[in-house]
Amino acid sequence: MSSISIKMALQVRELTTIEEMLMQIDTIRFLYPNISSEKYQSFLVEMLPHNYIQIGVFENDICLGITGCWSATKLWTGKYLEIDNFVVNPEYRSKGIGKMLTSYIEQKAQHLGCSSIVLDAFTGNFGAHRFYYNQGYYPKGFHFVKVLDENKFTR
């Protein structure tokens, strides 16, 4: 008897409920290894009312990469879409997953009538910088931070 291997196509899906997002905590933990389910859920409860969604790339029901995003309006740019917590499972990096996410985000931003897409990348995260440059993003300014309580950060 011969064995037939069937590989499902990758699928991009929007996650809009807390339940859907909580199911992907293992992927989020590639970025924040110590985040608890309780903390993750409490943040999502605060974020969802502010247009927050997540976009994931799935093979079958396995999440290979995920990002959050939300739209808002600022005086300098008008309506924009912000990428938040972009992460790809390390075993699937450099395989087009990130590109699938950024392409979908760009289509979403255009559909929403956004003028731009913005994101933050830590200054020492050179791999992310290279990736975003390759996707057409560039630094426009500095994101200044004044830390009030570092113990509240997600690590």
Side-chain angles (χ1 to χ4, degrees):
M1 185 152 122
S2 66
S3 160
I4 298 174
S5 175
I6 299 174
K7 183 170 180 157
M8 296 291 290
L10 298 180
Q11 182 184 39
V12 179
R13 294 197 309 241
E14 289 189 17
L15 310 177
T16 58
T17 67
I18 290 174
E19 293 75 24
E20 291 174 307
M21 294 175 192
L22 285 172
M23 290 172 56
Q24 310 318 319
I25 194 167
D26 289 340
T27 306
I28 292 295
R29 284 184 174 141
F30 289 116
L31 191 59
Y32 301 111
N34 299 319
I35 193 167
S36 69
S37 296
E38 296 77 20
K39 185 172 194 175
Y40 185 41
Q41 182 171 357
S42 73
F43 285 167
L44 292 173
V45 165
E46 290 186 40
M47 295 161 70
L48 257 62
H50 301 282
N51 297 322
Y52 182 80
I53 65 166
Q54 289 180 344
I55 299 164
V57 175
F58 293 84
E59 183 175 43
N60 301 320
D61 287 327
I62 311 276
C63 183
L64 307 181
I66 197 165
T67 186
C69 66
W70 35 29
S71 61
T73 303
K74 290 187 179 183
L75 292 176
W76 76 272
T77 190
K79 191 171 187 177
Y80 67 96
L81 191 71
E82 182 171 355
I83 294 172
D84 191 39
N85 300 306
F86 193 103
V87 60
V88 174
N89 180 323
E91 293 180 29
Y92 293 91
R93 291 184 184 158
S94 299
K95 297 186 186 310
I97 305 300
K99 174 66 175 155
M100 288 179 73
L101 288 170
T102 57
S103 293
Y104 189 92
I105 287 166
E106 187 170 333
Q107 291 173 13
K108 178 130 187 106
Q110 289 172 343
H111 174 75
L112 293 171
C114 295
S115 68
S116 56
I117 303 167
V118 301
L119 60 92
D120 289 329
F122 289 122
T123 54
N125 191 346
F126 302 115
H129 301 172
R130 184 173 34 262
F131 172 77
Y132 291 123
Y133 276 119
N134 288 337
Q135 302 306 311
Y137 294 79
Y138 63 92
K140 178 92 172 138
F142 294 100
H143 185 99
F144 288 92
V145 176
K146 181 176 183 177
V147 175
L148 300 176
D149 185 350
E150 193 171 310
N151 293 319
K152 293 181 180 177
F153 284 11
T154 301
R155 299 189 199 285

